[in-house]
Amino acid sequence: MKKYLWKIILAIGVVPFVIPFVLGVYRMSIESWTMGDWLVMYSIVYWPTYLIGAVLTIWALIKLAKK
């Protein structure tokens, strides 16, 4: 059961790194954004989500490697 929990935490940790690309494709389709412009703007505004995602990802990988 605990291994399943760490896999969920790992997935939650990866989400902040995937969302900018998904939203970037959406913004490119409805506005005149480029992917690079969108990623820079998103990263400046939402940089704390990258920190939280990295901490969760590293934490989950360490716990999964120990088991």
Side-chain angles (χ1 to χ4, degrees), residues 8-57:
I8 291 173
I9 291 173
L10 178 66
I12 292 170
V14 171
V15 167
F17 298 103
V18 175
I19 286 178
F21 292 100
V22 174
L23 293 176
V25 169
Y26 172 69
R27 287 292 174 186
M28 287 171 36
S29 69
I30 64 169
E31 296 176 1
S32 62
W33 288 88
T34 64
M35 183 62 80
D37 292 341
W38 172 255
L39 290 176
V40 168
M41 195 276 305
Y42 185 92
S43 296
I44 290 171
V45 175
Y46 296 111
W47 64 268
T49 61
Y50 293 140
L51 293 178
I52 294 168
V55 168
L56 289 176
T57 301

